[in-house]
Amino acid sequence: SMRAANLLREEFPLSAPHITKIGPATYCFEAECNSFIAIGRFVLGLMDEIVIEHPKGLQGYVRQKMEVWEENQRKSLRD
């Protein structure tokens, strides 16, 4: 989304050259990342506006974080 692209540029200024508009409201970010921590946090914050096409490792990282969150929610409801 345009909002996700703008926030990515704002939060990570060095990402700007790696963001390409591919449709009216669709953008693609493609770059090497040393770690999934920062980009994973970004994706989780906008998960309803972002699709991860690759790498599979980032998909798995985000899935794992969501599973941990779900487990923490279940635990807090039991307490």
Side-chain angles (χ1 to χ4, degrees):
S1 70
M2 180 185 296
R3 182 172 91 122
N6 288 338
L7 287 170
L8 185 60
R9 283 187 199 100
E10 182 180 315
E11 193 169 336
F12 303 99
L14 297 176
S15 71
H18 304 281
I19 300 170
T20 307
K21 186 173 184 174
I22 58 173
T26 308
Y27 294 79
C28 178
F29 170 71
E30 193 164 352
E32 295 281 327
C33 294
N34 294 328
S35 168
F36 293 144
I37 295 171
I39 194 68
R41 179 178 50 82
F42 183 83
V43 169
L44 287 165
L46 294 165
M47 71 170 90
D48 59 332
E49 297 183 35
I50 294 176
V51 174
I52 303 169
E53 293 183 359
H54 62 274
K56 298 292 183 192
L58 179 57
Q59 293 172 343
Y61 178 84
V62 170
R63 188 175 302 111
Q64 178 189 25
K65 291 294 184 182
M66 290 171 32
E67 289 169 1
V68 169
W69 180 84
E70 288 174 348
E71 180 60 28
N72 289 340
Q73 292 302 304
R74 281 192 290 275
K75 285 179 183 177
S76 70
L77 292 174
R78 285 182 265 175
D79 294 342

